[in-house]
Amino acid sequence: MSNKTFTMIKPDAVGNNYIGPILAKINEAGFRIVAMKYTKLSAELAGQFYAVHRERPFYKDLVSYMSSGPIVAAILEKDNAVEDFRKLIGATDPAKAAPGTIRNLFAKSIEANAVHGSDSDENAAIEGNFFFSGTERF
Ligand code: UDP
Ligand code: MG
């Protein structure tokens, strides 16, 4: 069981001014922010980040959407971080996300679904390292 996960606040949520409310939910749920960056992905970097989905029908649109505006990337710390964060954000499709989850509250669509959350300890480490070098993390 790992104590870290990786998240992004996606372009729709940044554009809707939801950075503050989403970070508040994350803190209220007991996560500590241990690295954070406001940035924008090029299409090339978004494509690399989501390379695991490159054969899926939604990949091209996803890459263009994820590079369409600024994002906030962060590493979060808490016991059982990966699983607890996935519960906090809710289902991929906001129409199916449980009431009170971040996607239920802030997402626009299955694509523009407000936040990313790592799905395993292994991917949390890979994704965190994609945005943050060892010296930036603490
Ligand atoms: N996505 C999409 N259409 C789909 C499924 C996923 O546009 O039918 C997007 C959505 O932004 C999602 C991302 O692709 O968050 C990665 O998909 P995944 O199945 O990994 O969902 P997640 O782990 O983010 O819940
Ligand atoms: Mg996923």
Side-chain angles (χ1 to χ4, degrees):
M1 177 170 97
S2 157
N3 66 344
K4 287 200 183 61
T5 191
F6 171 79
T7 188
M8 288 185 284
I9 301 176
K10 297 187 179 184
D12 63 296
V14 172
N16 284 329
N17 247 346
Y18 290 149
I19 295 174
I22 289 172
L23 291 178
K25 284 273 169 209
I26 289 172
N27 284 149
E28 284 159 17
F31 293 88
R32 297 182 62 80
I33 296 163
V34 297
M36 188 160 70
K37 185 183 285 182
Y38 182 97
T39 187
K40 187 170 181 291
L41 290 170
S42 63
E44 191 186 344
L45 283 176
Q48 280 173 31
F49 184 87
Y50 282 110
V52 62
H53 293 308
R54 67 183 165 269
E55 306 301 335
R56 310 280 290 277
F58 58 80
Y59 177 72
K60 211 164 159 258
D61 283 348
L62 175 63
V63 167
S64 121
Y65 159 66
M66 285 302 296
S67 55
S68 68
I71 60 148
V72 174
I75 296 174
L76 306 175
E77 193 173 72
K78 180 186 182 298
D79 285 350
N80 204 32
V82 165
E83 192 184 334
D84 287 1
F85 193 70
R86 294 290 302 201
K87 260 185 221 144
L88 178 66
I89 68 178
T92 307
D93 180 354
K96 295 177 185 153
T101 58
I102 290 176
R103 283 168 167 169
N104 166 256
L105 291 169
F106 301 113
K108 282 209 293 223
S109 68
I110 190 165
E111 176 181 77
N113 59 1
V115 284
H116 170 81
S118 303
D119 63 6
S120 67
D121 291 349
E122 189 194 357
N123 285 334
I126 293 169
E127 292 168 359
N129 288 331
F130 188 92
F131 282 91
F132 301 99
S133 73
T135 51
E136 285 173 273
R137 247 183 294 127
F138 57 93

